[in-house]
C-alpha cells in the first residue's frame, strides 16, 4: 500500500526566504507526482505535475524535483511572499488512485 | 476559466439525518472523483467514475454512502444516516480523458460537513 509522508507538518519563515518542502513515498511504481496548494477551507489547486520519466518541473518561483528511485520529491519556493501562505500537499498517482500526504502548512511572515 | 462546481459549500446536520452533495465537473471531463478530507489530513478517494460507470469505490462505506453519476455529467454523493465521524470536507474533482495516470485532476471548492 502506497504511503506518502510530508515533512515538516508546519513551517514558518520570514518573507523573502527560499524554502524547501519535502515529500516521500514508499512505492516507486508511480505514474506521476503532483504538488497542490490548499488555502484554508478551500479546494485544491494544482501547482506542478511531474511525470515518472521526468526529474523536475518549474513554474514561476516554484520548482519541483522527483527522485523515483529513492521515493522522494521536493518543492522549492524561491523568494517567498505572504501570499504563498497555505497548505501544500503532494500526491502520488499509482495504478489505482492518487494518494496524498498530510500536507505542510506554510506561513510566510511579512 | 472552467471550474468544478460543488454545492452546498457548508452543511450542518444532526446525526442520523440524510445529507446530499452535488458536483458539476468541468465540461467534457470524463472522469469524476469524490474525496473526503478530515481536518489536518490529505484527501482520501471515496469513489471514481468514468463517464457514468463506477471505476473504484473500494473506500466508500457502502452501508451509509452512495454515489451516482446517472448521465455521465454531474454527480451526487449521499450519506444516510450521517454519523459524527462523517464531519469532514468533501471534495469533488474531475479530469479530462479516460484515466491514463498522466493528467491533472481539477478540484472544486468542497463541501464542509459538520454532523452534530
Amino acid at each position: 500500500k502506497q504511503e506518502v509522508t510530508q515533512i515538516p507538518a508546519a513551517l514558518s519563515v520570514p518573507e523573502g526566504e527560499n524554502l524547501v518542502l519535502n515529500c516521500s513515498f514508499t512505492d516507486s511504481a508511480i505514474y506521476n507526482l503532483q504538488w497542490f496548494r490548499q488555502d484554508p477551507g478551500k479546494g485544491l489547486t494544482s501547482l506542478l505535475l511531474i511525470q515518472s520519466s521526468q526529474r523536475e518541473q518549474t513554474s514561476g518561483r516554484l520548482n519541483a524535483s522527483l527522485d523515483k528511485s529513492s521515493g522522494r520529491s521536493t518543492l522549492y519556493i524561491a523568494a517567498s511572499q505572504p501570499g504563498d501562505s497555505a497548505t501544500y500537499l503532494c500526491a502520488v498517482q499509482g495504478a489505482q488512485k492518487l494518494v496524498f500526504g498530510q500536507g505542510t502548512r506554510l506561513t510566510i511572515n511579512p | 476559466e472552467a471550474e468544478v462546481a460543488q454545492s452546498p459549500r457548508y452543511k450542518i446536520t444532526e446525526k442520523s439525518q440524510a445529507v446530499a452533495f452535488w458536483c458539476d465537473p468541468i465540461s467534457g471531463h470524463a472522469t469524476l472523483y469524490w474525496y473526503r478530507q478530515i481536518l489536518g489530513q490529505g484527501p482520501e478517494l471515496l469513489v471514481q467514475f468514468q463517464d457514468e460507470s463506477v471505476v473504484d469505490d473500494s473506500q466508500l462505506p457502502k452501508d451509509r454512502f452512495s454515489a451516482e453519476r446517472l448521465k455521465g455529467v454531474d454527480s451526487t454523493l449521499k450519506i444516510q444516516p450521517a454519523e459524527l465521524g462523517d464531519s469532514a470536507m468533501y471534495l469533488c474533482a474531475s479530469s479530462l480523458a479516460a484515466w491514463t495516470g498522466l493528467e491533472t485532476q481539477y478540484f472544486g471548492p468542497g463541501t464542509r460537513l459538520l454532523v452534530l
Side-chain angles (χ1 to χ4, degrees), chain A residues 31-32 38 43-44 93-95 100-101, chain B residues 37 42-43 89 99 101 104 107-109:
Chain A
Y31 286 85
N32 65 55
Q38 186 173 33
L44 279 64
Q93 179 70 63
F100 285 84
Chain B
Q37 184 179 24
M89 174 78 89
W99 188 85
T104 297
F107 282 78

Side-chain angles (χ1 to χ4, degrees), chain A residues 3-110:
Chain A
E3 294 184 359
V4 181
T5 303
Q6 292 187 246
I7 295 174
L11 180 64
S12 180
V13 301
E15 179 179 2
E17 281 200 3
N18 303 325
L19 58 99
V20 174
L21 307 181
N22 297 293
C23 173
S24 61
F25 49 95
T26 56
D27 186 352
S28 61
I30 65 172
Y31 286 85
N32 65 55
L33 184 144
Q34 299 177 58
W35 283 93
F36 292 87
R37 169 184 172 138
Q38 186 173 33
D39 292 292
K42 302 291 180 63
L44 279 64
T45 300
S46 179
L47 298 174
L48 291 163
L49 182 152
I50 310 175
Q51 296 183 15
S52 63
S53 59
Q54 297 176 321
R55 297 283 295 183
E56 66 178 310
Q57 280 285 340
T58 298
S59 176
R61 294 183 294 107
L62 306 180
N63 176 275
S65 68
L66 173 63
D67 184 341
K68 208 171 66 166
S69 62
S70 68
R72 295 183 179 183
S73 176
T74 61
L75 178 67
Y76 175 83
I77 302 177
S80 58
Q81 304 171 358
D84 295 331
S85 297
T87 295
Y88 291 79
L89 295 144
C90 79
V92 173
Q93 179 70 63
Q96 295 182 331
K97 60 186 178 182
L98 197 60
V99 179
F100 285 84
Q102 76 276 26
T104 293
R105 188 173 70 254
L106 177 64
T107 303
I108 307 299
N109 301 304

Side-chain angles (χ1 to χ4, degrees), chain B residues 62-105:
Chain B
K62 298 181 188 64
D63 57 334
R64 298 184 301 106
F65 286 64
S66 64
E68 61 183 15
R69 193 183 184 199
L70 294 178
K71 297 183 179 179
V73 182
D74 58 340
S75 175
T76 301
L77 178 69
K78 297 179 181 178
I79 308 175
Q80 183 174 16
E83 296 181 351
L84 296 178
D86 296 331
S87 295
M89 174 78 89
Y90 290 82
L91 294 162
C92 179
S94 68
S95 60
L96 181 60
W99 188 85
T100 63
L102 301 177
E103 66 280 350
T104 297
Q105 294 184 24

Side-chain angles (χ1 to χ4, degrees), chain B:
Chain B
E1 182 176 310
E3 297 180 340
V4 176
Q6 290 189 248
S7 67
R9 294 292 308 279
Y10 305 93
K11 180 69 177 178
I12 300 174
T13 191
E14 294 183 346
K15 64 180 181 180
S16 80
Q17 296 299 303
V19 293
F21 312 132
W22 177 79
C23 173
D24 191 13
I26 293 172
S27 178
H29 280 198
T31 310
L32 184 147
Y33 314 80
W34 283 102
Y35 290 87
R36 177 170 61 185
Q37 184 179 24
I38 296 170
L39 191 63
Q41 299 183 18
E44 291 186 309
L45 181 69
L46 290 175
V47 60
Q48 177 182 338
F49 288 92
Q50 181 63 42
D51 299 311
E52 66 275 8
S53 300
V54 173
V55 173
D56 182 354
D57 64 356
S58 58
Q59 299 303 309
L60 189 71
K62 298 181 188 64
D63 57 334
R64 298 184 301 106
F65 286 64
S66 64
E68 61 183 15
R69 193 183 184 199
L70 294 178
K71 297 183 179 179
V73 182
D74 58 340
S75 175
T76 301
L77 178 69
K78 297 179 181 178
I79 308 175
Q80 183 174 16
E83 296 181 351
L84 296 178
D86 296 331
S87 295
M89 174 78 89
Y90 290 82
L91 294 162
C92 179
S94 68
S95 60
L96 181 60
W99 188 85
T100 63
L102 301 177
E103 66 280 350
T104 297
Q105 294 184 24
Y106 295 87
F107 282 78
T111 295
R112 181 165 294 282
L113 173 67
L114 177 60
V115 182
L116 302 176

